[in-house]
């Protein structure tokens, strides 16, 4: 198509073909010898749209009038006006497109960045790109990889060099070889950059020799550990010289660190720390907190928090359900807009959206995947226009098996841990659903302090999203100074096929926590005020950590 | 005696600024001729490449002044959003013009319609800034030429948007020029 025939159509097609961008609207402003085409796109499409618009300036200009394509962010009202209404609700093809998009893009990796990164409340991005070692913790699906990818992309390539290693690829390797693989990635990046800058410099020679040696050691199947250790001062020197010569800061992104055996984690971090000590090189390690040992005191090995590294916690918990709801819905809305669904309420009931927050335990990926499954469930009901609460419950029930599989995968480096966690889950379920008929429970601070190892069994369940923290500090109205943590069993453990009746559950309605007993006409306790929420939680049964006695090795 | 000294000093400043204006507005080819000659350097007492850097610093000062003026127009009672849009655009224009002047080596691309396309390839988020400059120019055209919308408040979002973008662009240009060795910014 020639631009002169129909410039607006030409622009619309060019945006679609060159960057897969749907143009929301185009307005034309004519001035003497000049014409401006103002193209409105979704806010997320602005960077790519700007690039296409700049290309088109020359293509659509004519000898009579110079043309400019100006790309602007479309307002939500404009988007809603231009999008055809979803009269069939969840049966509309766009709902199916949403499920496909979520399936394709729910997992973030270095190769595939997040669809659109949503900053959380604590705005961690500037922290991750700061010159400081960081341990970035979050449950599976909390957004660790998304944050690292976003941080990597935000770095100025002129002044920084970034290296990326995913530990899942290396989880079958021994610690020494894991260390060598990370070094190989770092030094190969240094060599490549140094070659671009000044191939004949002494730093280039030093880095190239080091790279060859690391490759040589990796080629040997059973290279002695000492030879890897001896590389540490040489790598440190190479990184230091590289920075001195070029003023380029090095960032080492290590994703999914929890895949490595816990016993070897402090040792690997210690070696890496040795390599970057007193250099302008920074470790950014993403992992699951309770599957990670980042420091051991005897002998002292690893990264010591406060001194060597800071911790960034990405977990959005149910402690503030209203905030969690806003954050999670903003993510899903971005996906929905990509497939021309202007608002989530066009395909979800309000109560179903509330239930999704609870069912996902406020974990973003779980939220997205549950939303997708719930849409599929609703579509099977031919007359359904909106996703309902039952669809979400059933989707959550189906997710139970997946979570257990993930548990086995996450703890694959230590089979005993997986067995302990599964047994602990059984005991917590029995306590909740059979003994006390409550889906939420309290664990006192005193027990937590007296039995730290047994408490770790509970936090493993927390990290694997099989239980969720509801409130970190519930006071006891009968004993001053006594406090407890409140947890909730994951919805997947008591909904869908597992649905049990007559149990007291927590629910989330219009931004508020409520407590009700299922299939009874007992009044619902509503947490309209903080005091009422505390009152609901205080009534929960106390789980004794003795429940886990006998699970840990002697 | 003091009066005579002041007059002489004012004349020197005027001469120097006249020379700088010639340096700032000359295209690349003309600047090469200037550089080969010694007259301007002799007149100003500075090597030619330093004069070019001085020109960059002076144009950025102008960009900064327009931000201050724009801010005043936004904060005055009643606010003058239309005029503020124009000032913020001119701040962005001068920031971009400095950038292109420095990297290209002459003031060949000062035309408003050409300037956005000449931002250097390695300028951070270049495509976005190119679009932002075109966008600001479009807004400035509307604000200065179109009688509608007549409701002055409707210009507020545009003015506030540009009040954030103009300082951002200025800061990025300063950072870029420093990295590239422009010692006067």
């Amino acid at each position: 198509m020639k631009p002169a025939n129909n410039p607006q159509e030409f622009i619309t097609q060019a945006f679609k073909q060159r960057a897969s961008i749907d143009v929301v609207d185009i307005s034309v402003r004519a001035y003497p010898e000049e014409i401006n085409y103002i193209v409105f796109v979704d806010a997320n499409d602005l960077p790519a749209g700007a690039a296409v618009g700049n290309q088109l300036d020359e293509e659509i200009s004519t000898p009579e009038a110079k043309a400019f394509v100006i790309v602007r962010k479309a307002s939500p009202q404009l988007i809603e006006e231009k999008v055809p209404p979803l009269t069939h609700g969840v049966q509309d093809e766009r709902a199916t497109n949403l499920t496909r998009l979520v399936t394709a893009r729910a997992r973030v990796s270095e190769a595939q960045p997040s669809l659109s990164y949503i900053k959380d409340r604590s705005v961690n991005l500037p922290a991750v790109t700061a010159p400081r070692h960081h341990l970035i913790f979050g449950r599976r699906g909390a957004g660790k990889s998304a944050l690292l990818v976003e941080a990597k992309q935000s770095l100025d390539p002129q002044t920084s060099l970034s290296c990326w290693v995913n530990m899942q690829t290396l989880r079958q390797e021994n610690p020494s070889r894991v260390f060598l693989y990370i070094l190989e990635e770092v030094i190969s990046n240094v060599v490549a950059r140094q070659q671009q800058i000044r191939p004949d410099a002494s730093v280039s020679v030093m880095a190239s020799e080091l790279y060859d040696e690391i490759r040589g050691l990796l080629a040997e199947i059973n290279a002695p550990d000492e030879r890897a250790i001896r590389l540490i001062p040489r790598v440190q020197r190479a990184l230091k010289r590289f920075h001195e010569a070029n003023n380029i800061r090095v960032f080492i992104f290590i994703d999914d660190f929890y895949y490595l055996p816990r016993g070897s984690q402090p040792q690997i971090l210690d070696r890496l720390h040795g390599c970057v000590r007193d250099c302008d090189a920074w470790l950014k390690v993403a992992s699951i907190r309770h599957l990670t040992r980042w420091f051991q005191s005897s002998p002292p090995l690893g990264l010591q928090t406060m001194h060597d590294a800071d911790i960034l916690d990405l977990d959005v918990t149910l402690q503030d359900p209203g905030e969690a709801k806003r954050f999670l819905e903003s993510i899903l809305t971005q996906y929905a807009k990509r497939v021309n669904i202007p608002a989530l309420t066009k395909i979800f009931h309000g109560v179903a959206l509330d239930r999704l927050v609870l069912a996902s335990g406020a974990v973003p990926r779980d939220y997205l995947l549950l939303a997708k499954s719930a849409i599929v469930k609703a579509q099977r009901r031919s007359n359904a226009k909106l996703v309902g609460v039952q669809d979400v419950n059933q989707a959550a029930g189906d997710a139970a098996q997946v979570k257990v599989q993930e548990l086995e995968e996450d703890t694959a480096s230590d089979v005993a841990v997986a067995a302990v966690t599964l047994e602990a889950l059984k005991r917590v379920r029995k306590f909740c659903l059979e003994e006390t008929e409550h889906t939420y429970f309290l664990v006192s601070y005193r027990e937590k302090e007296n039995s730290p190892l047994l408490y770790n069994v509970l936090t493993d369940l927390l990290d694997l999203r099989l239980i969720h923290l509801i409130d970190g500090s519930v006071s006891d109205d009968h004993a001053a100074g006594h406090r407890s943590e409140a947890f909730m069993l994951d919805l997947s453990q008591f909904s869908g096929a597992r649905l049990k009746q007559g149990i007291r559950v927590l629910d989330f309605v219009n931004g508020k926590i409520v407590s009700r007993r299922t299939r009874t006409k007992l009044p619902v306790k509503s947490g309209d005020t903080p005091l009422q929420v505390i009152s609901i939680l205080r009534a929960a049964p106390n789980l004794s950590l003795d429940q886990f006695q006998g699970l840990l090795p002697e | 005696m003091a009066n005579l000294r002041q007059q002489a000093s004012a004349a020197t400043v005027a001469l120097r600024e006249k020379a700088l204006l010639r340096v700032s507005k000359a295209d690349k080819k003309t600047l090469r001729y200037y550089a080969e000659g010694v007259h301007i350097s002799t007149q100003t007492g500075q090597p030619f490449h330093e004069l070019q850097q001085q020109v960059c610093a002076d144009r950025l000062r102008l960009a900064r002044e327009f931000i201050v003026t724009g801010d005043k127009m936004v904060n005055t009672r009643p606010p003058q959003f239309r005029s503020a849009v124009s000032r913020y655009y001119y701040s962005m224009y001068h920031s971009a013009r400095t950038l292109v002047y420095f990297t290209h080596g002459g003031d060949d691309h000062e035309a408003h319609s050409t300037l956005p396309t000449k931002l250097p390839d390695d300028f951070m988020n270049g495509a976005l800034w190119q679009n932002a400059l075109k966008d600001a120019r479009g807004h400035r055209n509307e604000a200065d030429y179109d009688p509608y919308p007549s409701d002055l408040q409707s210009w507020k979002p545009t003015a506030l948007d540009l009040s954030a973008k103009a300082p951002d662009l200025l800061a990025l240009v300063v950072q870029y020029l420093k990295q590239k060795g422009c010692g006067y910014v």
Side-chain angles (χ1 to χ4, degrees):
Chain A
M1 181 180 193
K2 285 189 177 174
N5 298 341
N6 187 343
Q8 280 137 291
E9 186 59 31
F10 178 77
I11 291 168
T12 307
Q13 281 186 14
F15 270 67
K16 188 73 188 168
Q17 285 164 3
R18 298 183 195 184
S20 303
I21 294 173
D22 290 315
V23 169
V24 178
D25 196 19
I26 300 181
S27 75
V28 185
R29 292 290 175 103
Y31 298 98
E33 298 175 4
E34 183 182 321
I35 188 158
N36 290 355
Y37 294 95
I38 301 165
V39 179
F40 292 91
V41 298
D42 186 88
N44 292 307
D45 293 328
L46 200 61
V52 177
N54 296 336
Q55 290 168 12
L56 293 176
D57 288 345
E58 204 56 40
E59 293 176 40
I60 59 173
S61 288
T62 61
E64 297 78 39
K66 205 162 165 68
F68 294 100
V69 176
I70 297 167
V71 185
R72 285 186 192 160
K73 186 173 77 175
S75 66
Q77 294 87 341
L78 183 61
I79 292 174
E80 193 144 355
E81 275 170 26
K82 294 286 168 182
V83 171
L86 276 92
T87 43
H88 299 293
V90 80
Q91 306 296 346
D92 192 288
E93 196 191 348
R94 281 171 279 176
T96 307
N97 292 341
L98 176 60
T99 63
R100 287 191 194 126
L101 185 66
V102 169
T103 307
R105 301 296 296 265
R107 178 167 278 280
V108 172
S109 68
E110 187 200 10
Q112 179 163 279
S114 55
L115 193 67
S116 81
Y117 185 75
I118 308 286
K119 284 178 185 163
D120 63 6
R121 279 172 306 171
S122 48
V123 194
N124 290 303
L125 195 57
V128 182
T129 50
R132 181 94 174 108
H133 302 309
H134 277 116
L135 295 161
I136 298 137
F137 291 135
R139 291 168 288 174
R140 239 179 193 265
K144 302 182 293 294
S145 301
L147 178 65
L148 287 195
V149 170
E150 195 68 17
K152 185 170 180 277
Q153 289 186 338
S154 73
L155 292 171
D156 179 1
Q158 299 293 318
T159 55
S160 54
L161 176 75
S162 53
C163 321
W164 184 283
V165 194
N166 191 306
M167 286 300 120
Q168 191 187 20
T169 325
L170 304 177
R171 67 177 171 176
Q172 308 293 347
E173 297 282 358
N174 68 44
S176 199
R177 287 178 66 80
V178 170
F179 172 62
L180 286 170
Y181 270 113
I182 299 172
L183 288 192
E184 186 199 26
E185 179 64 25
V186 175
I187 298 299
S188 72
N189 273 289
V190 168
V191 170
R193 177 64 74 89
Q194 191 59 43
Q195 292 292 335
Q196 290 167 9
I197 302 168
R198 218 182 128 195
D200 57 335
S202 63
V203 190
S204 313
V205 179
M206 184 193 284
S208 296
E209 284 175 1
L210 201 50
Y211 180 63
D212 290 342
E213 199 163 332
I214 295 166
R215 296 268 309 222
L217 279 174
L218 280 171
E220 292 178 34
I221 294 170
N222 291 316
D225 202 29
E226 294 73 37
R227 287 173 66 191
I229 294 172
R230 254 184 264 149
L231 290 173
I232 295 173
R234 292 176 57 199
V235 172
Q236 192 266 354
R237 202 178 314 137
L239 289 175
K240 198 169 170 144
R241 295 265 167 86
F242 174 70
H243 172 69
E244 284 166 357
N246 309 306
N247 200 23
I248 291 175
R249 179 172 288 163
V250 178
F251 289 91
I252 304 166
F253 295 98
I254 299 175
D255 200 11
D256 292 341
F257 190 68
Y258 60 90
Y259 273 115
L260 300 179
R262 276 194 232 191
S264 63
Q265 289 172 0
Q267 186 192 57
I268 291 169
L269 288 177
D270 193 74
R271 289 181 185 181
L272 289 173
H273 190 212
C275 292
V276 298
R277 185 94 202 189
D278 300 329
C279 300
D280 202 351
W282 306 100
L283 299 170
K284 308 288 173 181
V285 183
S287 193
I288 295 176
R289 185 192 282 263
H290 295 104
L291 297 178
T292 309
R293 261 181 92 191
W294 57 93
F295 185 73
Q296 68 172 48
S297 51
S298 179
L301 277 181
L303 286 176
Q304 211 170 356
T305 47
M306 303 290 287
H307 303 290
D308 304 323
D310 285 342
I311 286 181
L312 286 177
D313 194 345
L314 296 194
D315 279 328
V316 177
T317 68
L318 292 172
Q319 290 185 81
D320 184 351
E323 182 60 39
K325 180 177 158 77
R326 273 188 292 281
F327 177 60
L328 296 170
E329 286 182 4
S330 61
I331 296 173
L332 186 57
T333 302
Q334 294 302 329
Y335 280 73
K337 282 185 178 167
R338 285 289 169 119
V339 293
N340 278 334
I341 298 173
L344 297 181
T345 47
K346 304 284 179 194
I347 51 169
F348 288 92
H349 267 299
V351 277
L353 285 171
D354 283 346
R355 183 60 58 86
L356 268 178
V357 177
L358 201 72
S360 65
V363 177
R365 195 193 302 143
D366 285 354
Y367 180 87
L368 289 173
L369 293 174
L370 276 175
K372 180 210 80 173
S373 303
I375 292 171
V376 173
K377 297 235 177 272
Q379 284 175 328
R380 287 191 194 140
R381 294 185 285 120
S382 56
N383 58 346
K385 284 196 174 175
L386 295 176
V387 175
V389 174
Q390 286 310 316
D391 298 314
V392 178
N393 283 348
Q394 284 177 20
D398 292 354
Q401 191 57 38
V402 177
K403 286 194 177 178
V404 172
Q405 278 169 6
E406 283 179 4
L407 183 160
E408 286 163 353
E409 196 184 327
D410 287 348
T411 52
S413 59
D414 194 340
V415 180
V417 170
V420 166
T421 310
L422 276 174
E423 180 56 30
L425 174 64
K426 260 191 214 165
R427 294 186 188 186
V428 172
R429 282 195 65 225
K430 188 170 173 230
F431 172 80
C432 287
L433 305 180
E434 292 173 25
E435 294 170 16
T436 63
E437 296 187 329
H438 271 71
T439 60
Y440 52 103
F441 57 89
L442 299 171
V443 175
S444 76
Y445 276 28
R446 189 179 291 168
E447 283 228 51
K448 177 181 170 179
E449 281 154 19
N450 290 344
S451 313
L453 293 177
L454 294 179
Y455 182 75
N456 284 349
V457 176
L458 191 76
T459 52
D460 282 353
L461 290 175
L462 189 70
D463 277 342
L464 296 162
R465 298 120 58 233
L466 294 164
I467 61 171
H468 306 289
L469 184 67
I470 302 291
D471 198 316
S473 178
V474 179
S475 58
D476 189 328
D477 55 347
H478 299 302
H482 285 209
R483 291 188 165 271
S484 302
E485 287 176 326
F487 296 94
M488 189 189 97
L489 193 59
D490 185 60
L491 198 72
S492 66
Q493 299 301 311
F494 59 91
S495 67
R498 294 163 174 269
L499 190 62
K500 186 169 161 45
Q501 303 303 340
I503 52 172
R504 185 160 280 281
V505 299
L506 284 185
D507 212 341
F508 175 48
V509 180
N510 297 329
K512 288 169 193 160
I513 288 277
V514 299
S515 167
R516 62 185 175 86
R517 195 172 281 278
T518 56
R519 290 289 164 95
T520 64
K521 290 186 176 167
L522 289 173
V524 173
K525 292 181 190 172
S526 178
D528 295 332
T529 65
L531 263 180
Q532 286 173 337
V533 174
I534 292 285
S535 164
I536 289 172
L537 296 179
R538 275 175 183 163
N542 274 294
L543 175 93
S544 166
L545 293 176
D546 284 345
Q547 292 272 355
F548 304 133
Q549 284 293 2
L551 288 182
L552 294 174
E554 294 299 318
Chain B
M1 188 65 184
N3 199 21
L4 273 176
R5 205 176 294 138
Q6 274 174 359
Q7 279 177 10
S9 170
T12 312
V13 169
L15 264 177
R16 177 180 158 73
E17 290 198 339
K18 202 172 163 189
L20 283 168
L21 185 65
R22 286 173 65 199
V23 173
S24 79
K25 296 180 76 136
D27 60 21
K28 191 174 181 174
K29 193 175 163 188
T30 313
L31 280 179
R32 207 169 58 238
Y33 294 144
Y34 287 169
E36 283 165 5
V38 292
H39 177 67
I40 287 181
S41 284
T42 314
Q43 196 176 37
T44 56
Q46 271 179 296
F48 190 74
H49 72 277
E50 285 192 13
L51 286 178
Q52 284 180 292
Q53 295 184 13
Q54 181 65 55
V55 160
C56 288
D58 290 346
R59 197 175 286 284
L60 289 181
R61 179 177 43 75
L62 187 59
R64 209 166 281 123
E65 280 174 18
F66 284 153
I67 292 172
V68 173
T69 313
D71 290 346
K72 278 182 186 162
M73 288 171 166
V74 164
N75 292 317
T76 189
R77 291 290 170 269
Q80 297 172 24
F81 294 125
R82 263 184 193 270
S83 303
V85 167
S86 177
R87 289 306 87 192
Y88 289 131
Y89 164 66
Y90 273 103
S91 168
M92 292 172 73
Y93 166 77
H94 285 296
S95 293
R97 189 168 164 186
T98 312
L99 185 64
V100 173
Y101 174 84
F102 185 83
T103 50
H104 176 71
D107 199 29
D108 303 50
H109 308 298
E110 85 276 23
H112 290 252
S113 57
T114 316
L115 184 68
T117 63
K118 301 296 178 186
L119 300 187
D121 292 339
D122 60 348
F123 187 62
M124 198 191 264
N125 293 327
L128 268 177
W129 281 115
Q130 184 178 337
N131 181 63
L133 204 56
K134 288 191 291 180
D135 193 20
R137 179 166 168 258
H139 283 307
R140 179 257 159 185
N141 285 345
E142 290 163 18
D144 282 359
Y145 294 123
D146 297 348
Y148 308 108
S150 52
D151 172 19
L152 295 181
Q153 279 297 317
S154 65
W155 293 97
K156 185 177 176 180
T158 307
L160 294 184
D161 179 46
L162 293 180
S163 76
K165 277 185 183 147
D168 277 358
L169 180 60
L170 178 64
L172 281 174
V173 170
V174 169
Q175 186 190 351
Y176 180 91
L177 294 186
K178 275 184 181 166
Q179 280 173 357
K180 296 285 175 183
C182 182
Y184 279 56
V185 294

